[in-house]
Structures are given as C-alpha cells and as structure tokens.
Amino acid sequence: MGTKERRAREKEQLRRQILVAARELFVNDGYENVSMRKIANKIEYSPTTIYLYFKDKADLLDSVCKDTLLNLLKTLERLKNDKSDPVETLRKSGQAYVEFGLKYPQDYKLTFVIRPEFQKGLGLQEGSVGEKVFNYLREMVSECVRQNIFRQVDIETTGQVMWSAVHGVTLLLIDFPDFPWTEKDKLIDTVIHTTIEGLKV
Amino acid sequence: MGTKERRAREKEQLRRQILVAARELFVNDGYENVSMRKIANKIEYSPTTIYLYFKDKADLLDSVCKDTLLNLLKTLERLKNDKSDPVETLRKSGQAYVEFGLKYPQDYKLTFVIRPEFQKGLGLQEGSVGEKVFNYLREMVSECVRQNIFRQVDIETTGQVMWSAVHGVTLLLIDFPDFPWTEKDKLIDTVIHTTIEGLKV
DNA sequence: TAATCTAACTTAACAGTGTTAACATTATAC
DNA sequence: GTATAATGTTAACACTGTTAAGTTAGATTA
C-alpha cells in the first residue's frame, strides 16, 4: 500500500528537480532569457511536462522566489540568539541582509524587483514567508525602541526606513557594478551606521 | 539646398515619434510585453522601419532611459537656485528624486533596474546624463560637507549613502504597493530626515 | 491472469516574438 | 530623363509560452 506514497514522493522529487533547474538557469541567464524548453532540456523531459507541476512560467518563478525568501529568513534567524545588544543585532541583521543580496544577486532581484507581483499572492500577506522576514526586522527594531535607544516610537516606520536603506544599497551595488563606489564594505557599513544613528537622534 | 536639412529634420522627427510611442507602450504595458510590431503599428510604419533608427529593441529602450535621466536632471536642477540652506536643498532634492520615481514608476524602473546595463554605454560614464545626475547630488552633498554640517569628509561615500536611501524607498513604494506602509509622505520624509541626521552625527 | 482505468508524459500545433535579407519605392543629383 | 542613393516593406527564420490531443506505462479490479 506504499505505492501511493512512493508516487507522491516521486512527484515531489520531480517538482524539486524542475525548481532547481529553473533557479540555476534563471540565475545564470536571467529570467527573460530562459525558455521552458531550456528548462525541460536540462531535466530531460518534454517542455509540457513542466505544466503538470506549475501553472505557467510566472508560477515557476514564484516558487523560486519563495525558496529565496525562506533562505533569507534562515540566514537572518541565525543572528537572533545574540540578545545582548539590540543595536548591534540590528546592525548585523542589516549587514546579513545586504550580504545575502550580493551573494545571490539574481535571486534577490527576481524576488524583490523583477516579480514583486508575486508578493500579492504569496510574498507579504499574512502567514507568508515574506511577512515572516519583515516580522523579523520588526522584532529587531522594536527591541531598540523598547529600550529607548531609538527616538521614534513608531516601530513600523522605523522598520521601513531600515528596509529602504538596505534594499537601496543592495540594489545599487548589484545593478551598477561599474560605478566608482566607495569600497563596498565601507559603503554598506556607512549606510547601516548612518541609518541607525539617524534613528537614534 | 535646404532639402538636406529638411530630410534630416524629418528623420529626426520620425525618430522622436518612435521614441514617444515606445515610451508610452513600455510605461503602460511593461517593456517585455511590448513588441516591435506593436510599436510599429502605433506609428503606422512597418516593424522593420524601426531598425533603421535603432539598432534593436534594447537600443530603443536605452534611448528612452536617456530621456528619463534628462527629465530627472531637469527636475532636480530647478532646485539648485535655492542656495540659502544646503541641508534644506539636499532634503528637497531627495524628496524631488523620490517624487520623480513615483510619478514615473515604470520609467524609473526601466532606467534604474530593468536595464542598468545601459549605464555601461551611456548612463554613468564620463559626460553622460547619468553622471550629471550624480554630479548634482555630489554638489548638494559637498556643500553640506564644506560648511561642516556633515561629519563625514568623504563626499563620495556621503553621496552614495544618500542615493541608497532614496533609491531604496522609491523602489519599495513602487514594487510593493500593497504593503502596509506608513503614510507614504511620512515615510519618504522620515527616510530622508533619518539619513541626513545620521550623516550629521 | 486479463481487462480496465488512470496518472504521467509527449507530439503537434497556434499565435506571437525579435531580427535579417531581399525587394520595392520614392525623392534627389547629375 | 536617367542613375543613384535613401527610405520603407515583404517574407522568412528560428525562437517563445502555452494548449489540445494523443500515447504510454503502471496500478486496480474482476
């Protein structure tokens, strides 16, 4: 009677296989330059098979994005234990966020700019992974507010300001690699430091 | 002998016509959803005619982006006269930048995230429009540094921090319209205010 | 075991894409 | 008025996402 479970497992396996192949191609060649046929080729199935597992190409991308967010969340939550200094934790979180974006630039762009429509359905609404990521930021910030380190009492605004800063510097560094930036790590440090100091005043 | 000039004028006219049609379609339908045939249809020429004026679709987009940057530059330079308070001018410039992005969200995204490769050839290199935009920001910032308002002596870094902040908040507001943002203008104000205060300390 | 059913997958096709090469047309120059 | 250059068009190629119809293999039932 284990046949049904086996079949389900096999089905899930192929789904993962498609996702892995798709991510790899999206990341290397860019979403628009990847065709369903290329993905199919990579996994050695016919193109239409993919449609048995994903509604369409956008749905496939959505699933890739969801994985990216899960990955980001995992990365961030590793920093949570460090409860000593809330400002230091926030600083580290910001740094980790930018680092994540620069480590997986294509993933980051796919998730946060190429297809933010996906947020409507999965990304930021209640119970979603995206919401969990922002909740993490909320926690970090609210601890700083609670300890009267930050002037602003409004946790939402404070969090959004922080997000703007790290999102901005991440995308600029990704999108304009040839721009004569200040030394990269120095810039990231300064952005985060400036924002935190600005929130204190 | 004015025939040559007339021909050149007519040619330039059709070029503009193509650009206008392309921008309108890109902005309404999104770059990827606009085909050369659609553009051709709009201006009532055959699709291949466009290739007599632009190398390819990307080149067409580049020209649209260049216009956007020119537009942004014009918007910003209107604020330059106000020499009284450099911090206030910088604040206003930041605000104008974000407002510009939100007023022409598709243009902004096309220029700053969809096709930043275009920066390589036209956008940010010497003498380009993009460089002029960043030079504007440099001027605003350096005035604040010169008057010892900002701690940081490094004008480049300071400018880049400012750019990160406004770029970040602009894109977040564009890309996640359904996110429960703080009231929009308040958020923009706070981002700019926070960054400036952070640079002062 | 043989017949049936169903889930998984493929083939063939449609309408659309960017782009090129070859052709047609028009307006200028001699 | 004829040659010449500029301008525009037609037809085609190889590709795209996606659907409908057809095939095959494995499990279920009699």
Side-chain angles (χ1 to χ4, degrees), chain B residues 123-160:
Chain B
L124 289 175
Q125 71 183 19
E126 262 191 65
S128 66
V129 192
E131 207 210 12
K132 277 179 191 144
V133 172
F134 192 74
N135 274 343
Y136 174 87
L137 178 59
R138 242 188 283 256
E139 277 182 51
M140 297 301 108
V141 167
S142 70
E143 192 55 27
C144 293
V145 172
R146 210 181 57 74
Q147 295 195 18
N148 286 320
I149 301 167
F150 283 172
R151 165 184 40 87
Q152 184 111 18
V153 191
D154 182 351
I155 291 167
E156 292 303 308
T157 309
T158 309
Q160 290 165 23

